[in-house]
């Protein structure tokens, strides 16, 4: 059910869960100080309780309610990238609800770059918000994706299609070396260039699971099986129950199951989850994606590669 930002703020203050738009994907938001409301997010999503949530703020001074961490680089990064698709993992204050952090000693914080999200959070105070999909499903980038997963009873603010379409970069600043736990539109290269420091691309092995619980779960999966296209498949005849996604090649035939982005990787990222859901709506069995090239072609490629790789059927 579509609600105004004003109504959404009232509902959140009453302890309800509301889907809000952000520039990355829609989030399922609840008052970050209300344990029942946050518990309701986990129930609605079917989310494992050991996977923590990101707290979304609308003002920089709200950060101080969640962490005492003040690494030198934090405010430089905030200055440059907030509001925007960059989430910081920092040591948490004792007062932060354990249900939000899944019992970890760190908390994830981000200021989303969407006028409706910011207007709601200014009225309610910080909200805990995971992506507004059922656990394991593709993140929602349009209001109708949320209704598909949760039905029409869930209140949703219509903020239009998300402009980025992939989840934020998660940067862990709680350890000795800044570490990207999840790639997003803001890249390790950008952060390194700006601060002249080394940023780790991903934590290794066991440590990764300890620091980034989300990475242990299967994610972003449509019903159709996702595979990288081999060159043979790309020249075989096109099957009507398959979605074909190209980004460099231009196939000779056009049909509504053949999509081409012609080098526009930002458009590809913005459309990926919507294409996954379109394939499901049409009962397609397979999705073939042209393998992604060298990551330097576009800064969004590491994030695209990460999300597609995690949705590939094994
Ligand atoms: O763009 C986004 O980040 C979207 C929008 C709604 O803001 N949110 C989002 O939330 O993608 P979610 O819950 O789907 O993903 C949050 C990720 C998970 O991988 C989770 O494990 C990680 O952030 N995370 C949250 N708190 C953490 C913490 N304290 N330490 C390490 N990872 C954390
Ligand atoms: Mg998610």
């Amino acid at each position: 059910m579509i609600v105004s930002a004003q109504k959404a703020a009232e509902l959140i203050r009453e302890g309800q869960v509301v889907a809000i738009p952000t520039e990355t994907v829609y989030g399922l938001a609840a008052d970050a100080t209300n344990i029942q409301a946050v518990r309701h997010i986990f129930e609605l999503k079917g989310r494992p309780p050991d996977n923590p949530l990101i707290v979304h703020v609308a003002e920089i001074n709200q950060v101080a309610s969640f962490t005492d961490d003040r690494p030198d680089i934090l405010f430089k990064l905030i200055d440059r990238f907030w509001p925007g698709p960059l989430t910081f993992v920092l040591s948490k204050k004792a007062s932060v609800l354990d249900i939000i952090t899944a019992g970890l000693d760190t908390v994830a914080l981000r200021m989303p770059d969407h006028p409706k999200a910011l207007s709601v959070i200014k009225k309610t105070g910080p909200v805990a918000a995971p992506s507004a999909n059922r656990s394991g499903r593709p993140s929602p980038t349009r209001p109708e994706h949320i209704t598909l997963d949760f039905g029409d009873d869930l209140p949703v603010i219509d903020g239009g299609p998300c402009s980025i379409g992939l989840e934020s970069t998660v940067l862990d600043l709680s350890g000795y070396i800044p570490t990207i736990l999840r790639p997003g539109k803001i890249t390790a290269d950008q952060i390194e260039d700006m601060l002249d420091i080394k940023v780790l691309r991903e934590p290794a092995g066991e440590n990764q699971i300890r620091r980034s619980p989300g990475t242990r779960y299967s994610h972003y999966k449509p019903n159709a099986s996702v595979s990288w296209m081999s060159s043979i498949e790309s020249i075989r005849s096109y099957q009507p129950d398959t979605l074909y996604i190209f980004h460099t090649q231009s196939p000779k035939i056009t049909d509504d199951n053949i999509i081409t982005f012609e080098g526009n990787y930002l458009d590809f990222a913005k459309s990926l989850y919507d294409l996954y859901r379109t394939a499901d709506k049409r009962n397609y069995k397979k999705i073939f994606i042209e393998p992604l090239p060298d990551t330097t072609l576009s800064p969004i490629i590491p994030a695209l590669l990460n999300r597609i790789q995690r949705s590939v059927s094994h």
Side-chain angles (χ1 to χ4, degrees):
M1 157 209 349
I2 300 295
V3 297
S4 66
Q6 174 66 36
K7 179 72 181 166
E10 286 166 25
L11 294 171
I12 290 170
R13 276 205 235 96
E14 285 168 15
Q16 294 204 43
V17 173
V18 179
I20 63 168
T22 84
E23 80 282 30
T24 57
V25 301
Y26 278 73
L28 209 50
D31 177 351
T33 61
N34 183 331
I35 193 166
Q36 306 293 353
V38 177
R39 187 172 296 139
H40 195 200
I41 294 178
F42 281 85
E43 288 162 4
L44 277 170
K45 276 188 68 104
R47 184 173 178 107
D50 58 357
N51 194 2
L53 308 181
I54 296 172
V55 173
H56 294 67
V57 299
E59 277 146 14
I60 291 169
N61 61 19
Q62 292 170 334
V63 169
S65 312
F66 296 89
T67 182
D68 291 322
D69 263 8
R70 293 282 185 282
D72 293 346
I73 58 175
L74 175 64
F75 287 95
K76 288 188 191 151
L77 290 169
I78 284 181
D79 217 44
R80 165 84 179 268
F81 294 114
W82 273 15
L86 180 58
T87 297
F88 301 106
V89 171
L90 299 156
S91 301
K92 73 156 203 159
K93 274 189 162 175
S95 56
V96 182
L97 296 181
D98 277 337
I99 188 166
I100 292 180
T101 64
L104 296 176
D105 53 11
T106 54
V107 62
L109 295 169
R110 142 168 145 86
M111 188 188 290
D113 187 13
H114 194 292
K116 290 190 178 176
L118 291 171
S119 113
V120 169
I121 302 166
K122 277 185 183 145
K123 295 189 178 84
T124 61
V127 295
S131 51
N133 51 286
R134 279 197 198 277
S135 230
R137 301 274 302 146
S139 294
T141 55
R142 295 166 179 268
E144 54 269 30
H145 300 161
I146 302 165
T147 312
L148 279 171
D149 275 14
F150 297 104
D152 196 39
D153 286 348
L154 185 83
V156 179
I157 302 175
D158 185 352
C162 299
S163 60
I164 296 175
L166 298 179
E167 302 82 352
S168 62
T169 306
V170 178
L171 178 68
D172 187 354
L173 295 180
S174 71
Y176 186 60
I177 305 177
T179 302
I180 303 275
L181 301 180
R182 179 176 71 183
K185 176 141 193 262
I186 294 170
T187 62
D189 286 347
Q190 264 177 289
I191 296 168
E192 284 182 339
D193 288 351
M194 181 191 149
L195 298 172
D196 201 20
I197 51 159
K198 175 88 194 127
V199 174
L200 287 184
R201 269 39 178 195
E202 53 185 31
E206 279 298 297
N207 203 26
Q208 174 176 17
I209 290 184
R210 187 179 62 75
R211 289 170 67 174
S212 184
T215 55
R216 99 185 62 164
Y217 298 106
S218 135
H219 263 102
Y220 319 116
K221 277 207 181 11
N223 297 327
S225 73
V226 179
S227 329
W228 296 109
M229 215 178 279
S230 74
S231 51
I232 297 162
E233 275 144 6
S234 60
I235 53 169
R236 247 201 250 140
S237 64
Y238 293 101
Q239 305 297 314
D241 64 352
T242 300
L243 184 69
Y244 298 86
I245 304 175
F246 295 93
H247 48 78
T248 57
Q249 307 183 21
S250 287
K252 301 209 170 43
I253 50 172
T254 54
D255 211 331
D256 64 0
N257 64 332
I258 303 170
I259 312 289
T260 61
F261 288 102
E262 290 172 353
N264 192 338
Y265 293 98
L266 290 175
D267 237 23
F268 186 4
K270 185 175 168 174
S271 312
L272 179 72
Y273 294 144
D274 187 51
L275 287 171
Y276 280 2
R277 288 185 182 262
T278 301
D280 285 353
K281 198 160 67 190
R282 296 187 194 158
N283 283 316
Y284 288 169
K285 298 286 175 294
K286 293 178 188 160
I287 300 171
F288 282 129
I289 303 178
E290 181 189 349
L292 282 162
D294 190 302
T295 55
T296 55
L297 256 184
S298 161
I300 199 71
I301 289 180
L304 254 179
L305 189 59
N306 171 272
R307 304 309 190 279
I308 295 171
Q309 193 58 46
R310 285 156 141 280
S311 60
V312 164
S313 306
H314 298 287

